[in-house]
Amino acid sequence: MLTATDTLTFNGGVTATAPGAIFIAGTVAASGTYDITLDAVTLTADSTLRTVDGDITENETIDGSYALIIDAGTGDAMVSGGMNLAALTIDGGDITVDDIAAASGNITLTATDSITLTGSSYGTSQQMYDAGGDANPIYVNEEVSFT
């Protein structure tokens, strides 16, 4: 079980996968070009995943009635499981996001390269998607509902 209640900084990246439970209530960070790779996560407080130039990959669901910031620096951010959060902010190079079942707060995705929405449902009170410039695309892979 990985439980972060303050700030954990890994100088060689971090990978946490099933069968262990992952509970986060603070900041999990990787230095330099190292990556963060996680399976199912439960937030127990507002939390941040941060890299400088590494990628952040979430392979399963993220649950918890809290806000999550995913800051991949110049790296890419990929969240392939659904999310049920209070609010979500993702910054990175390329951003790929599956379903966001519900967010009572805002969803903000800011990419320097592109944004890809692979799911079918993005529900929140307010959404903002910025792919970093006129030439950078926002891809939608399925029939999508923004509610």
Side-chain angles (χ1 to χ4, degrees):
M1 177 185 331
L2 171 65
T3 302
T5 57
D6 223 352
T7 298
L8 297 174
T9 300
F10 298 90
N11 292 325
V14 61
T15 299
T17 58
I22 303 167
F23 298 91
I24 299 176
T27 299
V28 175
S31 63
T33 58
Y34 294 103
D35 300 336
I36 296 174
T37 303
L38 303 172
D39 278 349
V41 169
T42 300
L43 302 182
T44 58
D46 292 346
S47 300
T48 301
L49 302 175
R50 178 174 291 126
T51 64
V52 177
D53 296 316
D55 297 338
I56 298 175
T57 303
E58 169 56 44
N59 294 314
E60 295 185 24
T61 60
I62 303 174
D63 287 313
S65 299
Y66 299 96
L68 176 62
I69 297 171
I70 297 175
D71 182 0
T74 59
D76 298 334
M78 183 178 80
V79 182
S80 57
M83 291 175 273
N84 191 1
L85 305 169
L88 176 67
T89 300
I90 302 178
D91 295 305
D94 288 312
I95 296 174
T96 303
V97 177
D98 203 354
D99 292 324
I100 302 171
S104 56
N106 298 338
I107 297 172
T108 304
L109 307 181
T110 305
T112 56
D113 296 324
S114 68
I115 295 172
T116 302
L117 304 176
T118 60
S120 60
S121 178
Y122 298 86
T124 187
S125 59
Q126 181 176 355
Q127 302 170 35
M128 203 267 303
Y129 304 96
D130 180 359
D134 294 337
N136 295 343
I138 296 177
Y139 301 102
V140 179
N141 288 344
E142 293 184 21
E143 184 176 316
V144 173
S145 170
F146 296 97
T147 57

